[in-house]
Structure formats: structure tokens, C-alpha cells
Amino acid sequence: MSDIILEARNLTKEFKGFVAVNKVNLQVQRGDIHVLIGPNGAGKTTCFNLLTKFLKPTSGQIIYNGQDITGEEPASIARKGIVRSFQISAVFPHMTVLENVRLGMQRKLGVSYHFWRPQKVLNQLNDRCMQLLAEVKLEQFADELAVNLPYGRKRALEIAATLAMEPELMLLDEPTQGMGHEDVGHVTDLIKQVSAGRTIMMVEHNMKVVSTIADTITVLQHGAVLAEGDYATVSNNPQVMEAYMGTTAGELQGAH
């Protein structure tokens, strides 16, 4: 099997004449944490939405495990093993933490809507759910309603529910956004931990997080790839520093 799990070839997206993503080429290595960064308006979110099939490209190709998935729908690629965090990140507030993860597992098994199934059938999934909750350090909150979790733990629950779908490739959209310093550290450690044996691609704005966990970074500017490499390579690139003028350029250096 190839070392490249996901590839974009000349990926382009236009909105009424405005080119949001312009002939982007990138390759995600199997087993890596690959992070997409760039200043505001760089096209990160649009590119991410193209890769996760929430937008259709104007032109170009998306290849997953050697197969062209350019024309496929989000549900189809989820069955192939690509799971985006927000697909199941709407935590069900009045279900328990365990039930939230179990629902992710039911989706994987194709019994999502069999709510009339006997409870004992669903209980067979509980052991695996508890293993996943242990992975994200939430096992002691299994019977707690999700609504009662603080924000950082809700994000951990989202990751557990994503893992319940057994993704080969996890796509995380700004997983630390809106978090306090302590939660950022916790979720960063969590992503690093769950990346073992998996491939993760993420959009992230927090450069300290990026410097801590990224194997490969792709920098976008004006919808095109500006630079790519590990953190040391990217953070010392004069074009990248210019693109991140001001405080963020300081962040790039300061996160060393």
C-alpha cells in the first residue's frame, strides 16, 4: 500500500469568478499529523471543505488510497474511512457521554436509526465505548449528560465519537478553537495520543499547537500553496513570515 493516503491534484475552487483555492497540490503521508495553516482568507477552510467533500471542486482531483473520490459524497467517503470531526461533533446534550460514543459506533455498524433495538443489543457495544472513553480520559464521566461537560471535555467527547467510527483518516477542523490555555494543552496531548496508528489532517490556527504535533505543514496564501515542510522549515521561510506579518509572525518564531 502506498505511503500517500490522501492527495490533492491541482485542486481549484471558484465562487462566481473569485478563485478561493488555486491549483493546490498536496500529499498526506500515512501515519502523519498533517496541518493546514495560513493567514485569514488564505483558503484553508475552503480547501478543507473540498477534501472532505462538503464542497465540489471546480477542477482538479482528490485521491484517497489510490482511488479517485472527487465526485463522491461525504457519506460515501465516511464509509471508506475518512471521518471529519464536525460530522458527528454536534454532541447530543441530553444523552450521556457513553450514549454519544455509542451512537458513533452504531453509525459505523449501520444501526444508527434502530432506536427500537433492545437495550441489551446496544449494551454489547459498551465495552468498546468505555475503551474509547478511556483513550480520551473521559471514562469516569460515562454516565454524565454531555450538556454538563465543560467545553474542553466536550471536544474530547467529539474525538471519542469520531474514533468510534474507526476512521483511517481523521480530519479535524480547528480542534482547539475557543479553548482556554489548559484545555488547549489537554486536547493537543489527546490528538497526539490518538494519532498512534492513524492519519490526521487538521486545520489549526494556534501555532504552539502546530509546532508541538505537526509532522508536515502546508501553508496556504491566497488559495495557493506557499510552503510545505516540517515546522522548522516552514517557520524560517521568509515568504511565510511575510504572509504572517505582525503578531502571528512573532508566534511562528516564538513557538519554537
Side-chain angles (χ1 to χ4, degrees):
M1 195 175 275
S2 166
D3 287 340
I4 308 299
I5 188 169
L6 184 70
E7 183 177 4
R9 297 178 184 168
N10 290 315
L11 201 58
T12 300
K13 181 64 179 178
E14 295 180 28
F15 295 99
K16 297 183 179 175
F18 169 68
V19 182
V21 172
N22 190 8
K23 295 182 179 175
V24 164
N25 290 292
L26 62 82
Q27 295 182 330
V28 179
Q29 297 279 335
R30 195 177 303 280
D32 270 9
I33 298 178
H34 192 122
V35 185
L36 214 52
I37 69 168
N40 288 338
K44 303 183 297 292
T45 300
T46 303
C47 187
F48 202 69
N49 284 336
L50 290 169
L51 292 171
T52 53
K53 310 306 299 141
F54 283 84
L55 280 176
K56 294 192 186 307
T58 305
S59 60
Q61 284 180 295
I62 302 164
I63 311 295
Y64 172 63
N65 276 334
Q67 182 182 359
D68 189 330
I69 60 164
T70 314
E72 299 203 21
E73 298 297 322
S76 168
I77 66 164
R79 284 192 291 272
K80 285 177 165 50
I82 302 177
V83 180
R84 178 175 180 167
S85 59
F86 85 53
Q87 284 177 255
I88 39 99
S89 70
V91 170
F92 291 94
H94 298 296
M95 293 172 74
T96 67
V97 166
L98 180 89
E99 286 166 346
N100 267 277
V101 175
R102 194 166 63 191
L103 191 58
M105 203 169 289
Q106 285 174 254
R107 288 184 177 199
K108 172 71 179 171
L109 296 174
V111 294
S112 331
Y113 303 110
H114 295 188
F115 291 112
W116 60 87
R117 282 187 170 232
Q119 187 69 27
K120 65 182 179 184
V121 175
L122 298 181
N123 286 345
Q124 293 171 8
L125 303 175
N126 287 358
D127 286 350
R128 177 62 183 144
C129 289
M130 288 303 291
Q131 287 172 2
L132 289 170
L133 289 175
E135 245 188 275
V136 299
K137 299 182 172 59
L138 287 179
E139 68 271 36
Q140 70 270 42
F141 302 103
D143 297 324
E144 185 68 68
L145 290 179
V147 70
N148 296 331
L149 294 181
Y151 185 65
R153 288 203 172 112
K154 279 198 179 94
R155 297 310 294 258
L157 176 55
E158 291 167 14
I159 290 172
T162 305
L163 291 173
M165 296 182 73
E166 295 181 5
E168 187 177 4
L169 173 60
M170 280 178 78
L171 294 136
L172 306 174
D173 193 0
E174 301 219 13
T176 67
Q177 188 174 30
M179 287 188 181
H181 179 72
E182 189 177 324
D183 282 338
V184 167
H186 175 65
V187 170
T188 303
D189 290 344
L190 182 55
I191 292 167
K192 208 167 184 177
Q193 184 185 321
V194 302
S195 70
R198 299 181 179 96
T199 307
I200 294 177
M201 185 174 191
M202 56 192 273
V203 172
E204 182 53 65
H205 65 283
N206 186 320
M207 296 313 300
K208 287 199 169 80
V209 172
V210 174
S211 69
T212 305
I213 64 175
D215 294 304
T216 305
I217 300 164
T218 299
V219 187
L220 294 183
Q221 185 186 30
H222 305 311
V225 175
L226 178 65
E228 192 169 84
D230 61 16
Y231 185 79
T233 303
V234 164
S235 64
N236 288 302
N237 183 311
Q239 288 178 290
V240 174
M241 292 174 71
E242 190 181 336
Y244 271 91
M245 281 194 326
T247 55
T248 320
E251 273 188 44
L252 273 168
Q253 290 301 307
H256 267 306

